[in-house]
Amino acid sequence: MKGKGIAVIFLLLFYAFPATAFEYYIHGTGKIIDDPQQAVSPKIQEIPVTYVVGPDSEGYLYGVEYKKLRHERRKILKSRDGIVWELIYEHRTEIKSLYLWKGILFFSDANGSVFMKNGEEFEEVLRLDKGKYAIWWSWAGNEEFLLIGEYGTKSNSAKVYRSFDGRHFEVFFDIKDHYNVKDDGCHIHLVSIDPYDGTVYIGVGDNPPYRGLYIYKNGRWMFRNTNNHILNTIMNSGPLAATYDEKRVLFYSDNFPQIVEYNKEKDELKPLAAWFGEYYKGEMKFYDALKDPKTGVHYAVSVDYKKRGLHYLWISLDGVTWRKIGNGAINGTHVLYPLHIAGEYLYMNNLRMKLFTREEALKLIYKETKPPISLTLLEDCPIVIYLKNEKPLEVIVKGKKFRNYLSPNLAWTPVNGTLEKQEEFLIFTTLSPSAVLKLKLPLEKGWYTLGLCMKSSRSWNEIAPVRVAVRTKERIYGGLAQVSTEWRPFYYVFNMPEDGTAEIAIEFNGSAVYQIGCLFLSHDLSTSKPNGEFLKGESYSKNVTLRIDGKIYPIGDLRPGEKRTIRVEKLQTLELLSGGAVDLLITESSKEEKENLNSIPLPILATVAFLAFAYLLKRLKQ
């Protein structure tokens, strides 16, 4: 009897002070898991081709013979099983890409010619402008039409062509209809069609102010410059890849390792995940991405221009948390792009890999395939999850505290300039080329993400970049910010090695009037815009509403640590419709005794546990 009483007391202690959730190194926006220990080993095979497309109506895959030297990639091969390949055509010059539209095979060569398969031969159907050609991100098609974009040499011109039959083409998009480019810095980065609603997304690079997204919907164009939205965009040279959900599009950035989410209903762009540290220094970028329609797993491949071994495969279930895959041939040095899904395989450059099941992806990202699972759910970032459960599930929703450490009203100190404070902005006028705006903040130990938006009275090509620096006891963090006449947001990450003071210094290198807003500093995985409003000071999970497998659960306000329990039989999709962010613990329903314990509020449970522990000590002394 005494032993049973002690067991109950220890059970009380366990539920009063539950184990912490899984923790990963937070690089900044989102979560990046780069632990070399992998719970599942990828099944990889070497294949003799790259640029894989298909299968066609006869079951054939097509690829270009892999050669390390790209100018030697001239042969087109076909295969039924992805292992044995046979030659069907040899071209006179380098083949840049293949595309299969309505069962017809097309390719683009290095000279800018586009060919269509006609019987056993290929006929030229389109000639792109001088120096232009099409690569894997230049093609898109649906049941109605085919699109081909001009990549290659940067110039003052960039077009996307459309065809309804594969032989006759018209200009569908011309940058000249949207912006008068004069700096010879333009070409088409991305051509993509939303499989859910048919919207066309054109990504244009490289230089501001014309780079960004051109969206064709309901017969009209919309321009979303990825550098000038006051709250929700990032600096990049235009997206190179896209994956789709019903409500959003994930865009994978050039020249900066970041993923941007476009909310179709809200017409809103915002950063979703960012890679800092070695990835940022190595100028990692994403050259291709796909989503497995059967499992909901997002795949992306990274590349670096500084040759630091950052060629990796990344997977995610929600676009927020990303897991690096590195094993065998995927070792950081082998180029992996482009990607293609066919059957049960992910085809890459000279490789193919068995696609991960939901269960395997879950194990790789969260280290578990069955409850308990802990995760943080962000507003408007749905996650596809697959759990093996024998009993009904309990989804314990826990409120989070949000804190933005910055505001215009703090003790900002101007040096060689004048400062005017407004409700949401700082206006700083430089008086010399070495003007600085400083702020000292007491902060606790940990990693922090710093965000701010800036614009100036002079264009980006008239003034030098601003330098943002964060000085801690350990080192100086930060980087350059190319400011211009439109709003541009910038994000940085830094570490406080211990409790102490951090100094933020914004160093200006030109004579201008600068506006600084959207000031955000946080050390937790949450959001800068809970319930659509920019976070000022402290807040928490308010008006929490979840959607689980299509069913909506209105919960209301959850103060930090406060919990609500939702019971479900199965679970596949989770989405936080409002509330900013919440922590989730997914468990199987326990026995009646444990269920009663779970229903007791945590403060009361802790008190009971403390009294029980005191009683236990008293009994042991007797």
Side-chain angles (χ1 to χ4, degrees):
M1 185 71 184
K2 183 176 179 181
K4 184 179 290 186
I6 292 173
V8 172
I9 289 170
F10 275 109
L11 188 62
L12 282 167
L13 290 170
F14 175 80
Y15 278 92
F17 308 103
T20 58
F22 300 127
E23 294 182 359
Y24 305 110
Y25 184 88
I26 298 178
H27 291 254
T29 310
K31 283 188 176 181
I32 311 304
I33 309 169
D34 49 15
D35 183 353
Q37 298 296 323
Q38 294 179 183
V40 178
S41 295
K43 299 178 179 65
I44 303 169
Q45 295 173 295
E46 185 174 317
I47 56 175
V49 294
T50 185
Y51 308 153
V52 175
V53 298
D56 63 9
S57 58
E58 296 181 1
Y60 281 109
L61 297 170
Y62 298 90
V64 174
E65 183 184 34
Y66 173 74
K67 295 289 185 180
K68 193 169 184 179
L69 298 176
R70 296 190 183 188
H71 69 270
E72 297 180 354
R73 299 178 182 179
R74 300 178 180 181
K75 297 178 180 179
I76 299 177
L77 290 74
K78 70 177 183 179
S79 173
R80 285 189 182 275
D81 60 8
I83 297 297
V84 179
W85 296 80
E86 60 179 297
L87 177 67
I88 65 166
Y89 178 76
E90 183 171 357
H91 196 49
R92 59 184 175 271
T93 188
E94 178 192 350
I95 296 174
K96 287 290 187 179
S97 61
L98 301 179
Y99 193 74
L100 196 66
W101 180 64
K102 291 188 173 182
I104 303 172
L105 184 63
F106 293 78
F107 75 84
S108 172
D109 69 13
N111 294 330
S113 292
V114 175
F115 294 84
M116 180 181 75
K117 194 171 189 299
N118 184 8
E120 298 300 318
E121 301 297 324
F122 285 84
E123 62 175 297
E124 184 176 351
V125 292
L126 177 66
R127 175 65 65 92
L128 305 179
D129 287 353
K130 184 178 180 180
K132 309 286 188 177
Y133 48 80
I135 61 173
W136 57 91
W137 61 53
S138 305
W139 304 79
N142 56 21
E143 290 301 314
E144 184 181 359
F145 54 78
L146 170 68
L147 298 176
I148 304 175
E150 292 184 329
Y151 188 60
T153 303
K154 289 182 283 188
S155 66
N156 292 332
S157 174
K159 302 184 186 74
V160 176
Y161 297 88
R162 178 172 63 177
S163 176
F164 294 93
D165 61 5
R167 280 190 171 86
H168 305 91
F169 288 82
E170 63 184 8
V171 175
F172 175 69
F173 170 88
D174 191 335
I175 190 62
K176 290 182 178 179
D177 296 331
H178 302 268
Y179 194 86
N180 186 19
V181 180
K182 297 180 180 180
D183 60 3
D184 284 322
C186 189
H187 56 189
I188 302 297
H189 271 179
L190 171 69
V191 181
S192 186
I193 301 175
D194 190 329
Y196 292 92
D197 60 18
T199 300
V200 177
Y201 296 90
I202 307 295
V204 175
D206 271 355
N207 295 336
Y210 52 81
R211 67 188 181 193
L213 281 170
Y214 295 79
I215 305 171
Y216 185 75
K217 186 175 184 178
N218 299 326
R220 69 183 185 92
W221 288 98
M222 299 185 295
F223 176 48
R224 296 295 177 262
N225 189 327
T226 51
N227 294 280
N228 72 357
H229 194 293
I230 190 169
L231 289 176
N232 297 323
T233 61
I234 63 153
M235 49 178 183
N236 68 74
S237 294
L240 300 179
T243 55
Y244 294 87
D245 289 337
E246 187 174 355
K247 293 173 56 178
R248 62 183 187 153
V249 191
L250 305 189
F251 291 106
Y252 300 76
S253 300
D254 186 19
N255 90 306
F256 182 73
Q258 193 164 31
I259 294 170
V260 183
E261 175 193 79
Y262 178 65
N263 187 304
K264 299 183 228 177
E265 295 178 355
K266 298 180 180 179
D267 184 25
E268 178 182 271
L269 283 160
K270 65 182 179 183
L272 196 61
W275 283 248
F276 291 95
E278 63 175 311
Y279 305 108
Y280 181 81
K281 292 177 182 177
E283 296 182 10
M284 189 182 90
K285 59 180 71 177
F286 295 99
Y287 259 28
D288 207 0
L290 291 173
K291 179 185 174 185
D292 185 346
K294 294 181 180 179
T295 62
V297 178
H298 297 263
Y299 295 87
V301 284
S302 58
V303 59
D304 67 288
Y305 275 6
K306 292 192 175 182
K307 301 186 185 303
R308 295 185 176 179
L310 300 179
H311 295 279
Y312 285 107
L313 178 67
W314 300 83
I315 66 167
S316 177
L317 287 165
D318 60 356
V320 178
T321 302
W322 288 85
R323 212 305 176 190
K324 182 173 76 175
I325 304 299
N327 187 285
I330 304 177
N331 55 20
T333 61
H334 183 79
V335 173
L336 300 174
Y337 59 83
L339 299 178
H340 180 70
I341 290 177
E344 298 179 345
Y345 291 91
L346 177 69
Y347 287 84
M348 295 175 277
N349 182 49
N350 190 217
L351 301 170
R352 78 171 187 174
M353 183 191 79
K354 190 78 175 291
L355 289 164
F356 292 122
T357 64
R358 282 186 191 170
E359 179 183 355
E360 289 172 332
L362 189 69
K363 193 169 185 179
L364 281 163
I365 296 170
Y366 298 109
K367 297 185 179 180
E368 293 289 345
T369 59
K370 57 184 180 180
I373 297 289
S374 298
L375 56 96
T376 297
L377 193 61
L378 302 186
E379 188 175 322
D380 288 329
C381 296
I383 180 172
V384 179
I385 198 167
Y386 178 79
L387 296 178
K388 281 190 171 181
N389 59 297
E390 299 176 355
K391 303 175 183 177
L393 296 170
E394 292 184 350
V395 181
I396 301 172
V397 187
K398 183 179 177 182
K400 289 180 66 69
K401 176 183 176 181
F402 312 144
R403 182 175 180 183
N404 181 1
Y405 289 83
L406 291 185
S407 87
N409 299 321
L410 298 176
W412 295 90
T413 302
V415 178
N416 296 327
T418 61
L419 178 63
E420 177 187 348
K421 295 182 179 181
Q422 295 186 355
E423 184 177 351
E424 297 182 359
F425 306 101
L426 298 171
I427 301 176
F428 185 71
T429 304
T430 62
L431 300 178
S432 79
S434 58
V436 183
L437 195 55
K438 296 182 178 181
L439 176 68
K440 291 186 177 181
L441 280 176
L443 296 174
E444 298 176 352
K445 177 181 178 181
W447 284 90
Y448 290 79
T449 299
L450 167 66
L452 68 159
C453 302
M454 289 187 283
K455 74 174 182 176
S456 72
S457 59
R458 301 177 65 189
S459 176
W460 65 275
N461 55 2
E462 297 176 355
I463 53 175
V466 172
R467 180 177 293 277
V468 178
V470 182
R471 294 177 174 87
T472 68
K473 182 178 179 180
E474 182 183 62
R475 53 173 289 188
I476 298 176
Y477 297 84
L480 295 177
Q482 181 64 75
V483 183
S484 193
T485 51
E486 77 274 355
W487 283 106
R488 295 182 180 179
F490 305 94
Y491 295 86
Y492 308 92
V493 67
F494 65 93
N495 179 48
M496 291 292 292
E498 58 186 37
D499 294 356
T501 300
E503 182 183 77
I504 299 172
I506 307 174
E507 303 168 3
F508 302 89
N509 297 301
S511 297
V513 178
Y514 294 86
Q515 293 187 54
I516 302 135
C518 313
L519 293 161
F520 184 73
L521 180 63
S522 176
H523 73 290
D524 192 17
L525 181 62
S526 59
T527 176
S528 61
K529 293 184 66 181
N531 296 321
E533 296 184 4
F534 192 76
L535 180 62
K536 299 177 182 178
E538 292 189 4
S539 188
Y540 57 91
S541 307
K542 295 181 179 180
N543 189 30
V544 175
T545 304
L546 265 73
R547 178 157 52 201
I548 301 177
D549 294 339
K551 185 176 180 179
I552 295 177
Y553 296 85
I555 294 176
D557 294 354
L558 284 179
R559 293 191 173 276
E562 188 177 359
K563 299 178 181 179
R564 294 289 187 275
T565 299
I566 300 172
R567 291 176 173 83
V568 295
E569 293 296 322
K570 297 288 183 181
L571 193 157
Q572 288 196 11
T573 60
L574 284 163
E575 184 177 4
L576 183 63
L577 300 178
S578 61
V582 293
D583 290 327
L584 299 183
L585 176 62
I586 304 169
T587 66
E588 287 186 322
S589 293
S590 49
K591 295 179 180 179
E592 185 66 29
E593 182 179 40
K594 292 184 180 180
E595 288 180 356
N596 290 337
L597 288 171
N598 281 338
S599 65
I600 302 173
L602 187 60
I604 297 175
L605 191 56
T607 302
V608 173
F610 177 78
L611 294 174
F613 185 64
Y615 175 76
L616 173 62
L617 291 177
K618 184 177 179 181
R619 288 290 304 270
L620 291 175
K621 289 179 179 179
Q622 292 178 352

